[in-house]
């Protein structure tokens, strides 16, 4: 999945650099780049947590997953009539 996002980002940026003006390409390039950078940031943070938090290296990931779940539930409850 990351390879596909990286391919889309590079392809979009290259086409934009060559003069394409399609807004869809710009969107694909930006979204693909953000997804790829988030993947890299997550890998780096995971590595640091593994080294620093040897007893509980997955604790930050569990906290983020729980926060995301709670935010999703709250948003769904807010959007219900």
């Amino acid at each position: 999945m990351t390879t596909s996002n990286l391919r889309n980002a590079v392809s979009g940026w290259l086409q934009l650099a060559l003069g394409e003006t399609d807004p869809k390409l710009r969107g694909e390039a930006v979204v693909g780049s953000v997804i790829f950078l988030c993947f890299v940031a997550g890998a780096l943070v995971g590595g640091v947590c593994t080294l620093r938090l040897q007893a509980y290296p997955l604790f930050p990931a569990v906290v983020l997953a729980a926060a995301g779940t709670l935010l999703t539930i709250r948003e769904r409850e807010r959007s219900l009539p």
Side-chain angles (χ1 to χ4, degrees), residues 20 22 26 33 35 40 45 51 56 58 67 75 78:
E20 290 285 332
D22 185 11
R26 184 178 312 257
S33 297
I35 290 171
V40 170
V45 170
L51 292 174
Y56 303 101
L58 292 178
E75 189 63 31
R78 185 183 305 173

Side-chain angles (χ1 to χ4, degrees), residues 2-80:
T2 302
T3 303
S4 176
N5 291 325
L6 180 59
R7 180 184 49 86
N8 289 342
V10 170
S11 175
W13 288 118
L14 182 62
Q15 289 178 3
L16 287 170
L18 294 175
E20 290 285 332
T21 57
D22 185 11
K24 183 181 175 186
L25 289 175
R26 184 178 312 257
E28 288 178 359
V30 170
V31 170
S33 297
V34 169
I35 290 171
F36 179 72
L37 290 174
C38 287
F39 177 80
V40 170
L44 291 173
V45 170
V48 169
C49 288
T50 300
L51 292 174
R52 301 282 185 203
L53 305 173
Q54 292 179 0
Y56 303 101
L58 292 178
F59 183 72
V62 171
V63 170
L64 287 174
T69 302
L70 292 175
L71 288 172
T72 301
I73 290 170
R74 191 174 94 184
E75 189 63 31
R76 280 191 178 187
E77 289 176 353
R78 185 183 305 173
S79 67
L80 290 176

